[in-house]
Amino acid sequence: MSAPYRRTVVDAAGWDAAADAMEAGDTTLLSLWAEIGCVHLAVLDAEGIEILSLPCPDGYFPSIGRRHPPAIRLERAVRDLFGLEPEGLPDPRPWLDHGRWGDEAVPAAAYPFLPVEGEALHQIPVGPVHAGIIEPGHFRFTCDGETVVRLEARLGYVHKGIDRLLAGAPLARATKIAARVSGDSTVAYALGFAQAVEQAWGLAPPLRAVWLRAVMAELERLAHHLGDWGAICNDAAFSLMLAHCGVLREQVLRTAATCFGHRLMMDRVVPGGVAADLDAAGMAALQGLIAMLRARVPPLVKLYDDTASLQDRTVGTGRVSPALVAQFGAGGFVGRAAGRAFDARRATSYAPYDGLRFEVPVLQAGDVNARVWVRIREIEQSLSLLEQLLPGLPAGPVRIPPEDLPHGPAEGLALVEAFRGDLFVWVRLEAGQVQRCHFRDASWFQWPLLEAAIEGNIVADFPLCNKSFNCSYAGHDL
Amino acid sequence: MRRTLLQGLLHRPLTEAAPRAEETAAVELAHALNTAAQRKLGRSLSIREIDAGSCNGCELEIHALNNAFYDLERFGLRFVASPRHADVLLVTGPVTQNMREALERTVRATPDPKWVVAVGACARDGGVFARSPACLGGVASVMPVDLVIHGCPPTPIDLLRGLLTLFAPGAAGRAQSS
Ligand code: SF4
């Protein structure tokens, strides 16, 4: 079962009190989203998750971002998508709305980047189309010689209108869309969506399905941590690691295809269970994969650790302070590399993680090197989790038949750990359809920290820093 | 470090050490693709990828073409950093309103002859995002498309097969000139 939560309808005073608590660091912002005439806030405190809802019939609500900066981009998005005005919002520029949703004949207005002053400064605009095979976004560097004095990101290029597509979508279609919010986290998104729906309807999926979901989630984590590890080293001009990690990653994907019929395991986690069972051949493939990784990963760890020229690039580069990470409630390797010991698998201990042994690696340095090490440690943890999951895999059915699912009006949420950090999902259902569904990718609170991480570094280290964050554009732009 | 490097030198390449069906297929396809491209262009093929609103799933699989199992560069097929160096444009995603201009400008920056390939269900017709007013619904709604590679996402093998049909003798794949 997913995380239980409290939901309270508040007035403006209650809303402000929540901003106070976040500003003081007593609670952590999980998300902020809206629907017509109402804005919602999810916070995490010592007792768990609370959702505060503020009706705003006049179209205004007091800005949380005015007090607590991590909310600023979420509020800009709320204004762009739902027309609600956050009063006192410190940054009133549009965010996801690039001025291109209306009349084609009217050219979009230029985006007002933050002004810079200073004689020696120059700017480097990059994107939205980048040199590699990566997602689109715009980065505006302001530099003093080689040194970056400010990075400003402009995102929203891959905004697909997911909130709107989900409103009124029948459950089956909504499940497919959820699995395609951020393809690299397709298992995590499908899992979050399924858990939220199951919580709303009070469903308990079959035990075997719950365990198979964890197998898939750990395979996804392994694939991307391996890929990131290699890619980060490659951006530090150490391509040998990319070659090795790329091979291991490919073998994870091939095993996923053997086990579940799809390399990324897309559409395999569904409300009520999973859409693919693990047979004997799949089980053998998984065991082979684990044995292979157990043998092949340690020499690579040693290689990373022993290569001084590589460490020279990663140690001390792209540092984020623990204070900033705590303020933004940044999850995943970004948070855990800078002292924030948060992992949704532990924090809400959703099944089957409540019965499994695993560590949440936490480092303090907050640099590229620390983000690499968190990934390395998590690769080891994922292997250990798979080793616990496979022998204990319960027998039985893997799915509640779709026709047996309830239809009534209900609400639910989930907080699950994707490979890049905690993913928050909230859903309201009615008549077998999604009425409103909100996803908050971990990237929302990581992107702003990338801007802080690069400050004072040289331009040439940006790819390295960026890769060590590996934020999702798709998951953020929605 | 030295041991790992030595092993890298002494071991036979992965693709040959373990010639499973999938690898053999990849090798044959990539070979054939390069031969066809040489025939048509007189030189190796340069590919540029453009994400026009993808979920990033298609990018993962295009990326995989570079890993040691497929290793496209072996065959002279290269992913290039600039559209000005490209022959083939692999476009993914349902073409969001916010990416339309960037896509059009990138394609315009590519010299003729060029081929536009729509990769994945989204690029084909918008996929699950087809109904969204924030998307245009497929690459063909913005520009002529020479080839569609199906899949969500297409696997690396699907991508190789697809690219090959672009250059097969008598194929519909004709170069675009703007
Ligand atoms: S085709 Fe599938 S994998 Fe590719 S961008 Fe679309 S949803 Fe993602």
Side-chain angles (χ1 to χ4, degrees):
Chain A
M1 285 299 287
S2 46
Y5 69 101
R6 296 151 282 150
R7 170 126 120 84
T8 321
V9 177
V10 293
D11 55 12
W15 189 259
D16 276 336
D20 284 342
M22 282 186 276
E23 192 182 16
D26 298 336
T27 59
T28 306
L29 173 63
L30 277 183
S31 196
L32 191 155
W33 70 102
E35 51 194 319
I36 308 298
C38 186
V39 59
H40 306 285
L41 180 69
V43 294
L44 185 73
D45 58 24
E47 282 148 59
I49 300 170
E50 181 170 23
I51 292 185
L52 304 172
S53 303
L54 176 70
C56 24
D58 305 327
Y60 294 92
F61 67 97
S63 162
I64 299 274
R66 174 176 52 116
R67 313 277 294 283
H68 188 58
I72 293 175
R73 287 183 178 174
L74 288 163
E75 290 187 333
R76 290 167 73 186
V78 159
R79 200 184 53 177
D80 288 356
L81 300 181
F82 292 89
L84 298 176
E85 190 62 37
E87 280 182 302
L89 178 66
D91 186 345
R93 295 173 298 169
W95 184 235
L96 300 179
D97 183 354
H98 288 196
R100 293 171 191 272
W101 298 338
D103 188 355
E104 236 179 73
V106 186
Y111 183 72
F113 285 94
L114 297 175
V116 281
E117 280 172 37
E119 222 171 272
L121 302 180
H122 67 282
Q123 290 201 324
I124 310 173
V126 181
V129 177
H130 298 287
I133 306 171
I134 53 169
E135 298 182 78
H138 182 91
F139 299 111
R140 181 71 53 111
F141 299 91
T142 303
C143 308
D144 183 359
E146 276 289 286
T147 310
V148 179
V149 293
R150 181 198 280 150
L151 162 65
E152 191 185 354
R154 187 196 187 193
L155 304 173
Y157 289 92
V158 293
H159 173 76
K160 292 183 269 294
I162 286 174
D163 289 64
R164 202 156 149 185
L165 275 173
L166 284 168
L171 192 64
R173 197 196 317 149
T175 305
K176 292 216 148 200
I177 295 170
R180 287 159 180 78
V181 177
S182 183
D184 55 12
S185 304
T186 178
V187 173
Y189 270 85
L191 175 64
F193 181 73
Q195 280 195 3
V197 168
E198 286 154 9
Q199 185 190 61
W201 279 334
L203 295 172
L207 211 52
R208 183 173 174 83
V210 173
W211 282 58
L212 285 176
R213 287 172 173 184
V215 171
M216 295 186 211
E218 296 313 318
L219 283 175
E220 182 173 86
R221 200 178 326 276
L222 274 175
H224 295 306
H225 278 4
L226 285 165
D228 283 358
W229 182 16
I232 294 167
C233 295
N234 190 50
D235 279 342
F238 195 69
S239 55
L240 179 69
M241 195 70 95
L242 176 69
H244 282 288
C245 289
V247 166
L248 301 186
R249 176 177 194 280
E250 176 69 20
Q251 277 163 325
V252 175
L253 298 186
R254 288 181 180 192
T255 308
T258 305
C259 294
F260 303 110
H262 191 286
R263 285 163 56 91
L264 306 180
M265 298 167 283
M266 213 171 236
D267 301 327
R268 276 17 185 203
V269 177
V270 293
V274 292
D277 204 352
L278 186 65
D279 59 14
M283 183 66 106
L286 268 175
Q287 273 152 350
L289 177 79
I290 296 169
M292 186 276 291
L293 290 174
R294 280 290 188 202
R296 302 266 311 264
V297 170
L300 293 182
V301 177
K302 194 164 176 334
L303 177 63
Y304 179 78
D305 207 15
D306 287 352
T307 307
S309 63
L310 181 54
Q311 303 269 324
D312 186 47
R313 294 288 307 279
T314 58
V315 175
T317 305
R319 191 164 264 161
V320 193
S321 73
L324 207 54
V325 155
Q327 185 193 14
F328 274 75
F333 32 75
V334 174
R336 293 192 283 273
R340 184 166 183 260
F342 184 85
D343 183 316
R345 292 172 296 175
R346 180 60 46 80
T348 63
S349 42
Y350 52 92
Y353 295 101
D354 50 350
L356 301 170
R357 293 177 314 279
F358 65 103
E359 283 164 25
V360 177
V362 181
L363 296 171
Q364 303 297 327
D367 55 3
V368 172
N369 182 51
R371 289 188 284 278
V372 169
W373 275 111
V374 168
R375 286 175 169 97
I376 292 175
R377 292 288 163 247
E378 289 182 6
I379 288 170
E380 293 161 0
Q381 292 305 313
S382 288
L383 286 174
S384 153
L385 282 166
L386 286 173
E387 283 161 349
Q388 296 171 58
L389 284 162
L390 295 189
L393 206 60
V398 295
R399 185 176 186 176
I400 303 170
E403 57 276 15
D404 293 351
L405 294 177
H407 283 269
E411 281 176 31
L413 68 72
L415 188 69
V416 299
E417 190 70 18
F419 85 94
R420 62 164 61 85
D422 52 294
L423 164 68
F424 176 84
V425 187
W426 180 83
V427 68
R428 182 190 293 130
L429 302 156
E430 192 160 319
Q433 291 185 345
V434 169
Q435 207 182 53
R436 174 84 180 90
C437 182
H438 165 71
F439 294 101
R440 193 273 302 144
D441 195 274
S443 303
W444 277 97
F445 300 132
Q446 295 169 340
W447 275 120
L449 300 192
L450 176 62
E451 297 178 11
I454 191 66
E455 224 177 278
N457 288 252
I458 56 171
V459 183
D461 273 344
F462 179 68
L464 184 59
C465 292
N466 191 24
K467 192 54 81 180
S468 76
F469 272 68
N470 190 15
C471 298
S472 174
Y473 300 68
H476 166 281
D477 292 354
L478 292 171
Chain B
M1 164 95 185
R2 230 177 277 146
R3 252 194 75 211
T4 316
L5 280 174
L6 264 180
Q7 277 177 354
L9 285 173
L10 299 177
H11 274 210
R12 279 151 51 84
L14 270 172
T15 38
E16 284 167 83
R20 290 190 295 171
E22 215 169 327
E23 274 98 81
T24 320
V27 170
E28 279 169 10
L29 284 168
H31 249 310
L33 178 55
N34 191 40
T35 315
Q38 294 272 3
R39 203 171 45 230
K40 206 128 187 171
L41 293 169
R43 63 187 155 76
S44 291
L45 195 63
S46 295
I47 305 168
R48 166 75 229 203
E49 195 268 349
I50 309 167
D51 175 341
S54 126
C55 79
N56 78 31
C58 281
E59 277 61 37
L60 294 176
E61 293 296 58
I62 294 173
H63 236 297
L65 286 173
N66 283 326
N67 75 38
F69 281 99
Y70 305 102
D71 196 12
L72 266 199
E73 295 234 357
R74 274 189 297 169
F75 306 100
L77 307 165
R78 288 185 308 139
F79 282 97
V80 291
S82 167
R84 298 191 197 283
H85 302 159
D87 307 304
V88 166
L89 296 163
L90 294 184
V91 187
T92 65
V95 188
T96 61
Q97 300 278 9
N98 289 353
M99 262 310 282
R100 178 194 189 142
E101 187 190 338
L103 171 64
E104 288 173 338
R105 287 175 61 174
T106 309
V107 173
R108 271 204 303 275
T110 308
D112 298 328
K114 62 184 166 225
W115 290 267
V116 174
V117 179
V119 173
C122 291
R124 183 189 61 203
D125 59 8
V128 298
F129 307 109
R131 299 160 191 246
S132 171
C135 302
L136 290 144
V139 183
S141 55
V142 193
M143 58 186 59
V145 167
D146 298 291
L147 174 73
V148 176
I149 300 181
H150 296 263
C152 182
T155 63
I157 294 282
D158 294 337
L159 289 165
L160 286 175
R161 280 212 184 99
L163 283 173
L164 189 55
T165 61
L166 195 62
F167 295 107
R174 89 223 124 72
Q176 287 182 27
S177 3
S178 37

